[in-house]
Amino acid sequence: MFSVTGMQGFEMFSLMHLVTLFLFFFTAWWLVYYRQALRAYQKIIKWTLFFTLLACEVTYHVWLVLTNQWDVSNLPLQLCSMSTFIALFLFLKSNQKAFWLLYFIGAIPPILSMVTPDMVYQFPHYRYIKYFLHHSAIPLAVLYFIMFEGYRVPKNAVLAGFLTLNVIAVPVFFLNLLLGTNFFYLASPTETKTLLSFFGNGVWYYVTLEAAALVVFFITYLPMHYLQRAEQKRVRGK
């Protein structure tokens, strides 16, 4: 279960992969559909998500160290780690603008990462469980903040969030050049076949990456737009 070389051979859209995706989407639906009944358990949900995210981040580095794999490329500077740290911060302290960024990088991107995962290990290897649990907990945390803590995102946050991510990406890009790393996948696509594998090479890779990010930001905003419009109609109706 914790071996570096064992239990490899992950198959995309295998039965286990599909079951894992189903469990995530069912949990997300359950949180939304039963949100009123679940308010009585809000603190339990909050701290379960908090400690799940924390445990995923910490145990991953412990596993890397204990198996003599850890190096500078494993620094927590990927988007999922950034989403994790923002979510952990929000569980402890309210901050609207921090949520805006979390909403755009923590709602759809982790789901896309689960659909086409950068994964070689099969269930029930630790890496498989950690990867999908971690990438599930991030969008579920986003849902929690919307459903239970009333966070909302204005339209102007789409461009603001996109520009903020680009500002963060600039030092990360140069850090990759300095360390020979691939944080944010700015140096190259993933090693395994994922959506990034279709983004081309060289300058075209960056152009496609920017365009895809902007499209994802706009698509991510759509549910928030309709949610806020429905809330405004209910207020006017009263």
Side-chain angles (χ1 to χ4, degrees):
M1 182 176 179
F2 297 99
S3 167
V4 176
T5 57
M7 301 182 71
Q8 296 191 11
F10 171 81
E11 293 183 17
M12 195 179 301
F13 304 128
S14 63
L15 178 60
M16 194 63 237
H17 184 204
L18 293 175
V19 168
T20 303
L21 292 174
F22 171 79
L23 288 174
F24 163 72
F25 285 112
F26 176 81
T27 305
W29 170 84
W30 177 74
L31 270 180
V32 175
Y33 191 81
Y34 292 104
R35 60 189 179 279
Q36 297 301 331
L38 289 171
R39 287 194 179 277
Y41 307 97
Q42 181 175 342
K43 285 189 176 181
I44 295 175
I45 297 170
K46 172 182 178 178
W47 294 115
T48 298
L49 288 169
F50 178 90
F51 286 111
T52 298
L53 288 169
L54 185 62
C56 285
E57 195 67 50
V58 171
T59 60
Y60 175 55
H61 291 278
V62 170
W63 178 72
L64 288 172
V65 170
L66 292 179
T67 53
N68 299 311
Q69 296 182 88
W70 198 95
D71 62 29
V72 70
S73 66
N74 298 120
L75 286 169
L77 293 175
Q78 295 288 14
L79 271 181
C80 69
S81 291
M82 180 188 294
S83 299
T84 298
F85 296 139
I86 296 173
L88 292 175
F89 170 75
L90 287 170
F91 278 124
L92 300 173
K93 184 178 177 61
S94 297
N95 188 300
Q96 287 288 338
K97 291 186 178 180
F99 176 74
W100 297 353
L101 182 58
L102 175 65
Y103 179 73
F104 289 113
I105 67 174
I108 291 182
I111 297 174
L112 295 177
S113 294
M114 286 191 287
V115 174
T116 59
D118 183 16
M119 173 58 55
V120 296
Y121 294 102
Q122 302 179 62
F123 181 85
H125 193 278
Y126 160 75
R127 282 288 289 117
Y128 181 100
I129 296 171
K130 179 269 173 190
Y131 183 93
F132 285 99
L133 187 60
H134 197 174
H135 285 80
S136 295
I138 295 169
L140 291 177
V142 172
L143 268 182
Y144 165 84
F145 289 123
I146 295 170
M147 296 292 107
F148 297 100
E149 297 199 5
Y151 279 94
R152 297 294 182 265
V153 179
K155 185 185 291 187
N156 62 5
V158 176
L159 185 57
F162 179 74
L163 292 176
T164 300
L165 185 60
N166 274 272
V167 168
I168 296 171
V170 171
V172 172
F173 175 83
F174 288 106
L175 189 64
N176 283 335
L177 293 179
L178 179 66
L179 301 177
T181 50
N182 192 20
F183 301 126
F184 281 33
Y185 297 113
L186 291 176
S188 64
T190 52
E191 293 182 8
T192 55
K193 197 174 183 66
T194 66
L195 288 174
L196 294 177
S197 306
F198 301 97
F199 281 21
N201 298 297
V203 175
W204 183 246
Y205 175 70
Y206 296 105
V207 172
T208 310
L209 200 62
E210 287 285 324
L214 194 55
V215 169
V216 168
F217 272 47
F218 275 109
I219 292 175
T220 305
Y221 179 71
L222 289 178
M224 181 61 68
H225 168 73
Y226 290 115
L227 170 63
Q228 292 182 103
R229 191 166 74 172
E231 290 175 338
Q232 290 167 0
K233 284 183 179 180
R234 283 199 297 270
V235 171
R236 286 196 297 266
K238 292 179 180 179

